[in-house]
Amino acid sequence: MSVPGQTMGMAVFTDPFIDAFDLSRTELSFAYLGGTVTSALFLTRAGRLYDRLGARIMVAGSALLLGLLVVFISLVDHIGTALAAVLGLPLAAVTLPAMLIGYFGVRFAGQGVLTSASRNVLLVWFERRRGIVSGARGVFVSLGFSIAPLLLALMIDDFGWRGALWLMAAVLIFGFASLALFFLRDSPASVGLNADGVSDAVRASAPATAESSKTLHQARLSPSFWIYSAGLSIHALFGTAVTFHIVAIFAEAGRDRGEAFGYFLPSAIVSTTVNLLASWLADRSRLKPFLLVMLSAFLLGTTGLLNLDTAWGYALLVFGFGAGGGLWGVISNLAYVRLFGTLHLGEISGLNTALTVMASAIGPFLFSLGFDMSGSFHGAEWLCGGVIVVLLIAAALIRQPDDRAPHLALRAVNSSR
């Protein structure tokens, strides 16, 4: 349901927006950059609000807001035409700031609040089984995200870009927001239950974890927080850029629009498979190896992207970005709750979300700028690959003393009793 605020949701509308709003690709990318960066500045505060109000209100409210903002974007050309006529300005002078506002809203409500709140509430309902449950969640997320570009492209063909936006908005406003409001609950304790469905007697005899909570200030002082956030952010930057310019990148490699949108499905199959396996292993392992493998997979995908005109390059892109995306899902779900506990999870994960959202804003603009300067996306791709190499070395060197698997933590608790 966060797809209208995600890059794969907005990217399908890139070319129709360029034509309808009289904007260049770089101007639209700049609006995306400005709107996304601005939205990131408010996400830590939104995380604080999540800690106070709970997931039910935040999920329902962000879904409603996302739907309304999608309607706003669908009317930008009408609003721009009317204001441009009154003010005597070119259409682009009005539609550019309007799209900046629209992108700010959908990125804040969709990629930011709705995504973070939905992830956090699931983590509170499970402790010992967080890994495998997060993996099950990842199946739906990966399949939804992979199907979305193809589905939206079909909707645009059948209903036009405006009709497709209206249909998405209707589902959010009249469907999902209502479901969240009536059926979602903030925590097991709020309805007299325990995490993992464990009875009070079993919980008293064998506590699930030795989980301690840390504040946002303590998290900021931890090198672990920054290396995980940097690793997650480079994927947001790189992956968002590729998704946003997917048609143009494939065209540069001599591949058509159908191949560009078709890439998401095999990548999602790889991502889902890796996510499920890694999620099962994560309950029994430290997270550092997953971080190292994730960055290595992104490096493999970068090699494929630079050789996309070949069959083996396409295969490396699918496998590398697919596997890296699957591991990204595991790490983004588990790293902060495992390292810093649940008490301030909204605020801490909100800061990480702000960083990843900001990175996702920079990516499309960086690729557009590189293409304008050199006529190719390869320069930006090489730059991202270099950053991944640096992060891989740093991740290998930084110690992570708080990174302990739930099963190992439970064993330590029982041995000390």
Side-chain angles (χ1 to χ4, degrees):
M1 290 299 163
S2 70
V3 160
Q6 301 283 357
T7 302
M8 78 285 300
M10 285 292 106
V12 184
F13 295 90
T14 297
D15 291 328
F17 285 171
I18 289 172
D19 294 336
F21 305 154
D22 196 28
L23 297 173
S24 69
R25 183 173 298 275
T26 300
E27 286 172 333
L28 190 66
S29 297
F30 177 77
Y32 194 81
L33 168 67
T36 306
V37 168
T38 307
S39 74
L41 301 177
F42 295 88
L43 289 177
T44 303
R45 187 172 299 175
R48 199 173 297 132
L49 199 61
Y50 170 91
D51 290 331
R52 190 183 312 156
L53 298 180
R56 180 168 168 248
I57 298 299
M58 294 298 286
V59 170
S62 60
L64 177 62
L65 180 61
L66 179 58
L68 293 174
L69 286 158
V70 168
V71 173
F72 170 77
I73 289 177
S74 74
L75 301 174
V76 162
D77 58 331
H78 292 324
I79 296 171
T81 301
L83 287 178
V86 172
L87 300 174
L89 296 173
L91 180 60
V94 180
T95 55
L96 180 60
M99 282 306 295
L100 195 151
I101 294 170
Y103 279 145
F104 161 77
V106 296
R107 299 292 276 169
F108 173 77
Q111 188 194 23
V113 180
L114 182 55
T115 301
S116 182
S118 300
R119 178 175 58 240
N120 288 345
V121 69
L122 189 66
L123 298 177
V124 173
W125 276 85
F126 297 89
E127 289 181 7
R128 295 180 64 185
R129 298 180 181 87
R130 275 181 188 143
I132 193 62
V133 169
S134 296
R137 167 189 176 271
V139 172
F140 294 96
V141 173
S142 295
L143 291 178
F145 281 9
S146 66
I147 294 170
L150 291 171
L151 181 60
L152 291 176
L154 291 174
M155 287 165 57
I156 292 172
D157 290 341
D158 289 342
F159 307 112
W161 65 269
R162 200 188 315 275
L165 290 174
W166 286 350
L167 184 56
M168 285 197 297
V171 171
L172 281 163
I173 295 171
F174 301 110
F176 184 68
S178 300
L179 286 174
L181 189 61
F182 286 110
F183 292 107
L184 190 61
R185 295 296 178 266
D186 294 339
S187 67
S190 68
V191 286
L193 300 174
N194 292 317
D196 293 299
V198 176
S199 68
D200 290 332
V202 172
R203 180 169 291 279
S205 63
T209 61
E211 191 171 79
S212 60
S213 292
K214 296 182 180 179
T215 65
L216 177 62
H217 176 70
Q218 290 173 312
R220 282 174 172 163
L221 297 177
S222 169
S224 297
F225 174 87
W226 294 108
I227 190 57
Y228 278 106
S229 292
L232 296 173
S233 293
I234 189 59
H235 170 62
L237 186 152
F238 202 176
T240 300
V242 171
T243 302
F244 193 87
H245 298 292
I246 189 72
V247 174
I249 288 173
F250 270 63
E252 182 183 7
R255 297 178 180 271
D256 60 27
R257 178 174 179 266
E259 289 180 294
F261 291 137
Y263 149 77
F264 292 105
L265 184 57
S267 179
I269 293 172
V270 174
S271 177
T272 302
T273 303
V274 171
N275 185 282
L276 278 174
L277 177 61
S279 296
W280 176 75
L281 291 172
D283 285 333
R284 297 159 174 79
S285 171
R286 299 172 68 229
L287 288 179
K288 183 174 181 177
F290 295 98
L291 178 62
L292 297 175
V293 175
M294 179 190 77
L295 292 171
S296 299
F298 289 149
L299 202 56
L300 196 65
T302 305
T303 303
L305 193 62
L306 290 166
N307 297 276
L308 189 56
D309 56 333
T310 66
W312 64 267
Y314 178 83
L316 283 182
L317 174 63
V318 168
F319 179 78
F321 273 27
L327 291 166
W328 187 93
V330 174
I331 293 169
S332 63
N333 282 330
L334 301 180
Y336 302 102
V337 69
R338 185 179 291 186
L339 293 172
F340 309 115
T342 60
L343 187 59
H344 303 284
L345 180 61
E347 198 172 16
I348 294 171
S349 65
L351 175 57
N352 168 67
T353 303
L355 295 171
T356 55
V357 167
M358 197 172 296
S360 72
I362 295 170
F365 184 73
L366 176 66
F367 271 53
S368 281
L369 198 61
F371 186 81
D372 287 345
M373 294 174 64
S374 65
S376 171
F377 292 106
H378 285 345
E381 292 163 2
W382 276 106
L383 178 62
C384 289
V387 173
I388 292 171
V389 170
V390 173
L391 290 177
L392 185 58
I393 295 171
L397 296 178
I398 291 176
R399 295 181 65 252
Q400 301 171 24
D402 294 325
D403 176 17
R404 305 183 71 184
H407 285 262
L408 297 178
L410 177 60
R411 189 180 306 166
V413 170
N414 290 334
S415 64
S416 65
R417 293 177 63 196

